[in-house]
Amino acid sequence: MVTAVLGGTFAAIVVQRLLELRVAKRNEAWARARGAREVGAAHYPAFFVLHTGWLLAWPLEGWLRGPALAPGWWAWLAALVTAQVLRYWAIRTLGPRWNTRILVLPGHAPIERGPYRYLRHPNYVAVCIELAAVPLVFGAWSTAAIASVLNAALLLGVRIPAETRALAWAREVPTTTP
């Protein structure tokens, strides 16, 4: 039974990621057509490797450990559901401006409604919770810890500073397209 839950969770996350990448690609085309500039492209592959590694590691670790649901699995599942609500609230709020890349539109101020009224980076908060919560449902403590540390290092050391600089630049450049 737990093996089926683990496999179903894995499949659901794979489908979710593929659909999100499809939306991101469509949004990228929309943004580039309006003069968007990409910043931080050099660090994008590091996130791809991290998320792919995480996606492969937690089911493997969970399966090797049992497979069994961890004690308190329901709390981690509740955290995951909360993270998903926050993630999709952020995606919906950003609309076509949401992307997995840093694409900034010159002359456009950052969105400050929806979850952005309360958090500067709600999507990153959701991903941080998810990277820990999913493995912890299945007792994959090592994957949760390693992925969380690596994600924090990438976000705090590279991604957020690059995004902050990009948004500052976007505010200063006048819009040239309607």
Side-chain angles (χ1 to χ4, degrees), residues 43 47 86-87 90 98-102 116 120-131 151 155 159-161 163:
H43 74 258
F47 279 98
L86 179 60
R87 181 213 305 293
W98 176 81
N99 212 295
T100 57
R101 298 181 176 275
I102 302 174
Y116 295 90
R120 185 176 283 256
H121 301 285
N123 194 62
Y124 298 161
V125 170
V127 170
C128 290
I129 294 168
E130 179 186 55
L131 289 179
N151 187 58
L155 283 176
R159 179 75 175 212
I160 292 174
E163 191 172 290

Side-chain angles (χ1 to χ4, degrees), residues 75-100:
W76 297 116
L77 182 61
L80 174 61
V81 169
T82 302
Q84 296 302 311
V85 169
L86 179 60
R87 181 213 305 293
Y88 287 106
W89 186 20
I91 290 171
R92 182 172 165 85
T93 299
L94 289 177
R97 289 175 66 176
W98 176 81
N99 212 295
T100 57

Side-chain angles (χ1 to χ4, degrees), residues 50 53-55 57 128 131-132 135 141-153:
L50 171 63
W54 169 84
L55 187 58
C128 290
L131 289 179
W141 305 99
S142 298
T143 300
I146 292 167
S148 294
V149 167
L150 292 174
N151 187 58

Side-chain angles (χ1 to χ4, degrees), residues 12-101:
I13 291 173
V14 167
V15 168
Q16 176 189 39
R17 289 297 187 274
L18 292 173
L19 291 173
E20 287 173 1
L21 288 173
R22 186 174 167 189
V23 170
K25 194 70 173 165
R26 184 182 66 225
N27 290 350
E28 179 182 356
W30 176 91
R32 289 190 190 278
R34 286 157 181 77
R37 171 182 166 198
E38 183 172 4
V39 177
H43 74 258
Y44 189 79
F47 279 98
F48 184 81
V49 169
L50 171 63
H51 284 258
T52 302
W54 169 84
L55 187 58
L56 298 173
W58 67 261
L60 178 62
E61 183 182 353
W63 183 75
L64 291 173
R65 287 188 182 271
L69 294 174
W73 64 269
W74 53 270
W76 297 116
L77 182 61
L80 174 61
V81 169
T82 302
Q84 296 302 311
V85 169
L86 179 60
R87 181 213 305 293
Y88 287 106
W89 186 20
I91 290 171
R92 182 172 165 85
T93 299
L94 289 177
R97 289 175 66 176
W98 176 81
N99 212 295
T100 57
R101 298 181 176 275

Side-chain angles (χ1 to χ4, degrees), residues 156-173:
L156 298 174
V158 182
R159 179 75 175 212
I160 292 174
E163 191 172 290
T164 300
R165 286 189 303 274
L167 289 172
W169 169 83
R171 282 187 207 105
E172 295 172 7
V173 177

